[in-house]
Amino acid sequence: MYIDKASEFAGQVQQVNGWVYDTRSSGKIAFVLVRDGTGIMQCVVVRNEVDEATFDTVRRLTQETSLSISGTIHAEERAPGGYEMHVRAMEVHQLTSGYPITPKEHGVDFLMSNRHLWLRSKRQWAIMRIRATIIKSARDFLDDHGFLLVDAPILSANACEGSSTLFSTDYFGTPAYLSQSGQLYNEATAMAFGRVYCFGPTFRAEKSKTRRHLTEFWMVEPEMAYCDWSQNCDVQEQFVTYIVRKVLEQRSEELAIIERDTSLLEKVVTPFPRVPYDEAVQILQKAGSSIQWGDDFGGDEETIISNQFERPVFVHGYPKSIKAFYMKVNPNNQQTALCADLLAPEGYGEIIGGGQREDDCDMLLSRVHAEGLSEADYQWYLDLRRYGSVPHSGFGLGIERTVAWVCKLPHVRETVPFPRLLEKIYP
Ligand code: NSS
């Protein structure tokens, strides 16, 4: 039996295969908390109900000892999960000694170097399950709304998000890069399949140590033919609202474990406010920031803006000079691009970057040159503007930043099983 299915087995004798989470015992009775990955079950061992050897072993059980334990399942509202096991027999697979992560407080550096073990703790259990639901609901939403999953390559000859954060590798004698984003390939597949998305790991050699940056992160990237930047925002707000609602519906236990105030997540409903970049600059200046029109926003600026709203907020129409080469220039204001970032509330800042793509071949070519990119490398991408070019838009939602916000975590390092950071590639 898996622990999360205990309610189906009340009154029956069942076996649980797992690890010892905690124990306590008095003279005649012992309580063993066993975890099996799906949950934690209280197993009650009464001295005169088991043989002496078993009771003796129970008293010597240590944290993370692996064991199979069997007995009758009973409803017990005081037990975690509402069911407990009255133990009849037990088999120890390995009696563990010296497990490094104890119930006392540990520092972050210690926990990070023991990430392979830290994942067994209750809080990490809750976060990883919320992460899985965020990913599943992102995919479900897109699968159910006419988007086709079309995978983008990880090895590429092209930079998508600027050459300064490329990880390069040798591809049989020519340089290749790890994907920063599947977007350019999505634009090709959107012209073939209409509405598409890719979902996969992306890589950026981020030299900055911040609470929002990983060097390897997962991104879900939808792309839509015949879609302008504002319709793109309509999809994003439905998408994000759906994801948050699914987490609230399906992960209440996990949200309670991490003590998330869910009333703030309940406020995530459409429509999301849309603030032009110019206004965002004014908001920042009023808040005492020295930011000037034309400057990009860093984490601090995003936090100030996102703190002004209870819902996620779009900031749109950034200066084209601070945005990627593929963004469509606003025909009514040549200095700005038809793009929008979505900033999560509670100070979290950007979780989505997106916008309308430049669909004019000459304009795009001039941007390729202006960025110092090689025209030859982008011929295939320019072809998309030569053969049946249409207005099209898309966006990328960063999974780790979304998990950080939904779980209200202070740093992205806990949002992914094995975080890759500037100075961290072990374990
Ligand atoms: O650079 S983005 O803003 N946009 C793109 O990559 C587009 N090419 C996506 C698209 O339109 N298809 O990154 C998108 C999101 C951003 O909002 C973050 O949530 C996340 O990807 N992101 C990151 N998360 C963690 N660590 C790092 N370093 C990081 N960089 C971006």
Side-chain angles (χ1 to χ4, degrees):
M1 174 193 90
Y2 287 106
I3 292 171
D4 63 347
K5 297 282 181 284
S7 65
E8 296 168 21
F9 297 98
Q12 296 182 25
V13 173
Q14 287 292 322
Q15 175 173 312
V16 166
N17 303 315
W19 297 263
V20 174
Y21 190 71
D22 203 1
T23 56
R24 82 198 140 81
S25 65
S26 63
K28 293 192 192 79
I29 188 162
F31 296 93
V32 186
L33 289 180
V34 174
R35 56 164 202 90
D36 73 346
T38 71
I40 291 180
M41 170 158 259
Q42 173 165 291
C43 302
V44 187
V45 194
V46 180
R47 178 169 221 155
N48 57 14
E49 288 178 5
V50 294
D51 58 56
E52 212 166 294
T54 303
F55 198 74
D56 246 23
T57 313
V58 167
R59 296 217 292 196
R60 285 188 288 113
L61 288 176
T62 49
Q63 195 188 345
E64 291 308 316
T65 284
S66 46
L67 82 182
S68 296
I69 192 162
S70 51
T72 322
I73 308 303
H74 290 277
E76 169 53 68
E77 52 183 43
R78 288 166 301 178
Y83 290 85
E84 66 179 16
M85 176 188 281
H86 290 192
V87 177
R88 285 294 140 90
M90 187 180 71
E91 182 193 349
V92 170
H93 304 300
Q94 186 189 39
L95 190 67
T96 293
S97 67
Y99 184 69
I101 302 179
T102 57
K104 71 163 197 186
E105 284 275 313
H106 293 286
V108 169
D109 286 347
F110 176 81
L111 290 169
M112 283 288 283
S113 351
N114 284 287
R115 183 66 176 165
H116 52 300
L117 304 174
W118 186 19
L119 288 169
R120 302 181 190 190
S121 76
K122 210 168 173 179
R123 192 180 150 78
Q124 301 307 314
W125 178 84
I127 295 168
M128 286 309 131
R129 287 165 66 96
I130 292 169
R131 175 186 169 100
T133 298
I134 288 172
I135 292 171
K136 176 167 164 36
S137 45
R139 303 185 81 124
D140 285 348
F141 178 92
L142 296 167
D143 292 342
D144 295 348
H145 284 78
F147 289 78
L148 185 72
L149 173 70
V150 188
D151 301 312
I154 299 292
L155 286 170
S156 170
N158 302 111
C160 181
E161 296 298 328
S163 48
S164 66
T165 61
L166 284 174
F167 275 115
S168 60
T169 182
D170 169 57
Y171 195 74
F172 309 111
T174 49
Y177 309 105
L178 296 182
S179 176
Q180 297 167 308
S181 159
Q183 180 197 319
L184 305 186
Y185 297 96
N186 272 351
E187 290 182 57
T189 59
M191 298 306 132
F193 306 105
R195 277 176 297 165
V196 298
Y197 74 100
C198 67
F199 176 65
T202 44
F203 307 86
R204 296 195 194 173
E206 304 275 5
K207 308 266 171 6
S208 51
K209 256 185 167 178
T210 77
R211 62 188 179 89
R212 301 172 191 198
H213 288 93
L214 293 155
T215 55
E216 177 180 303
F217 61 96
W218 289 72
M219 186 156 50
V220 54
E221 298 183 81
E223 191 72 30
M224 295 161 275
Y226 293 102
C227 176
D228 67 20
W229 75 271
S230 140
Q231 293 165 318
N232 190 36
C233 293
D234 297 343
V235 174
Q236 290 171 54
E237 59 191 16
Q238 288 165 30
F239 181 62
V240 170
T241 307
Y242 179 88
I243 292 171
V244 171
R245 189 158 44 84
K246 289 292 158 190
V247 172
L248 286 168
E249 282 170 15
Q250 297 172 6
R251 294 294 181 210
S252 55
E253 183 189 347
E254 290 81 356
L255 290 165
I257 288 171
I258 58 173
E259 297 174 339
R260 177 61 159 118
D261 178 353
T262 50
S263 68
L264 298 167
L265 293 176
E266 304 277 1
K267 291 182 180 155
V268 179
V269 289
T270 58
F272 297 168
R274 297 181 186 188
V275 178
Y277 170 85
D278 304 19
E279 258 175 52
V281 170
Q282 286 166 15
I283 292 176
L284 290 167
Q285 289 173 342
K286 268 201 202 117
S289 160
S290 60
I291 200 119
Q292 296 298 318
W293 198 99
D295 294 343
D296 200 0
F297 299 164
D300 293 344
E301 286 78 25
E302 287 173 17
T303 297
I304 295 171
I305 296 165
S306 86
N307 270 331
Q308 319 256 327
F309 301 90
E310 286 192 327
R311 299 178 192 183
V313 51
F314 290 106
V315 176
H316 63 92
Y318 286 83
K320 71 174 182 205
S321 55
I322 54 169
K323 287 292 178 187
F325 76 99
Y326 53 70
M327 302 255 182
K328 185 165 180 63
V329 173
N330 183 348
N332 301 318
N333 178 354
Q334 296 277 330
Q335 290 316 305
T336 63
L338 296 176
C339 61
D341 286 350
L342 184 67
L343 313 186
E346 300 178 66
Y348 272 88
E350 186 191 327
I351 54 168
I352 290 182
Q356 196 168 331
R357 320 307 189 187
E358 185 54 76
D359 47 20
D360 179 273
C361 196
D362 293 337
M363 289 284 276
L364 185 60
L365 191 56
S366 69
R367 293 293 309 242
V368 166
H369 288 150
E371 292 288 317
L373 301 168
S374 138
E375 192 182 320
D377 288 348
Y378 290 86
Q379 282 308 322
W380 71 268
Y381 187 61
L382 290 159
D383 269 356
L384 307 175
R385 279 74 181 167
R386 293 185 182 117
Y387 308 113
S389 190
V390 298
H392 63 288
S393 301
F395 62 93
L397 172 122
I399 295 294
E400 288 74 17
R401 297 231 188 131
T402 306
V403 175
W405 161 52
V406 169
C407 294
K408 201 163 177 154
L409 304 176
H411 196 291
V412 286
R413 66 184 157 228
E414 278 182 72
T415 62
V416 57
F418 294 97
R420 297 293 174 240
L421 297 157
L422 183 57
E423 288 161 358
K424 193 100 207 132
I425 197 168
Y426 177 94

